[in-house]
Amino acid sequence: MRLLIDTDTAGDDCFSIMLAARHPGVTLEAITICNGNVDFQCQVENALKTLEVSGLAGRVPVYAGCRKPLLRKPVEAAYVFGLDGMSDRNYPPVSQRPAPDHAVDAIIRHVMASPGEITILAQAPLTNLALAVSREPAIAKAVKHLWIMGGTDQGLGNVTPAAEFNFYVDPEAAQIVLNAGFPISLVTWTLTLEAAVLTGQDLDQIAALGTERARFFTEVNQAAVDFCLAKYGTTDTIHPDSFACACAINEAVITAAENCLVEIETASTLTRAYSSISSARLPPREEADPALGVAPAANARVIKAGNRQLYRDMMLACLA
Ligand SMILES: [Ca+2]
């Protein structure tokens, strides 16, 4: 699989890159950085550092992308990941530097140079992808597949009850990307609350591996552990980005999925970025209210259940 990862590199974003870098049969071809979790330049450095720890120093270009959402003020999540996104380890910069091109240009160039070949994993707000497909709409049909970590499946977000972080930060971008005609699979925050948990025991086993990668994982994950302990009284941590990566590179992780119409709320304040997801259990909406008309066709395969144990085993294998 030829993979491009679009990321707001902090915490679990790094573990997703490590999983892709180490998994047999995956060629990580490029990393593009989007506004999101923490200070933009920190995110660039975090991606470069993660490549070095993964044994790919100087072999995967990192392109800096959009520093702000399309319309909204930036929103960060340093309160979860630390100011640097790496549990405030403040690692010194590595020798690889970012590639000169803008991420939006790099996405278009990589996809259009190899139509039907490139899989994209989008694990950040969708600003880069929205601009790329607006500038070159042909990428929607030229990608092999677009994996998105974002949104909620019938509620329970991590910013508001309605909204998950990636969609909340740039709802207009999410709306553009979901309506652009990409072949999409969606991994929601709701799914990851059960399927993407690494328990305190799993984290102990990772620490016991004793490798440089495992040590890096444990250091970078510390802020999430502290956050979960303070907020929820548990050392279990949730890993939506690396779980989405696991689904993308190993279909066996997916145990249930449904083709759905996913629509993003952009007008409301209360439900900003809510992802409305259709369900076969609902009546046709034109029957419920003829004024609604017939719904558009499904635009995404929504992952409904995953194999947590297999995801966990993949993470341990990549860190060993
Ligand atoms: Ca992310």
Side-chain angles (χ1 to χ4, degrees), residues 46-112:
N46 296 345
L48 294 164
K49 171 71 178 175
T50 303
L51 286 173
E52 182 178 271
V53 175
S54 304
L56 291 177
R59 290 163 57 189
V60 181
V62 173
Y63 301 96
C66 297
R67 289 160 188 271
K68 290 166 64 177
L70 294 179
L71 299 178
R72 315 277 180 145
K73 291 196 181 105
V75 179
E76 294 186 350
Y79 73 103
V80 181
F81 299 113
L83 277 178
D84 68 348
M86 308 290 258
S87 301
D88 291 320
R89 300 297 299 197
N90 294 303
Y91 297 112
V94 297
S95 55
Q96 184 183 347
R97 293 295 82 209
D101 298 359
H102 193 278
V104 170
D105 297 324
I107 290 167
I108 294 169
R109 193 177 67 247
H110 276 274
V111 171
M112 297 313 291

Side-chain angles (χ1 to χ4, degrees), residues 242-273:
S242 53
F243 181 80
C245 184
C247 291
I249 64 182
N250 184 359
E251 283 271 334
V253 176
I254 302 161
T255 54
E258 182 179 351
N259 289 325
C260 301
L261 174 63
V262 182
E263 298 171 289
I264 310 300
E265 173 60 49
T266 57
S268 166
T269 301
L270 178 64
T271 58
R272 162 178 167 172

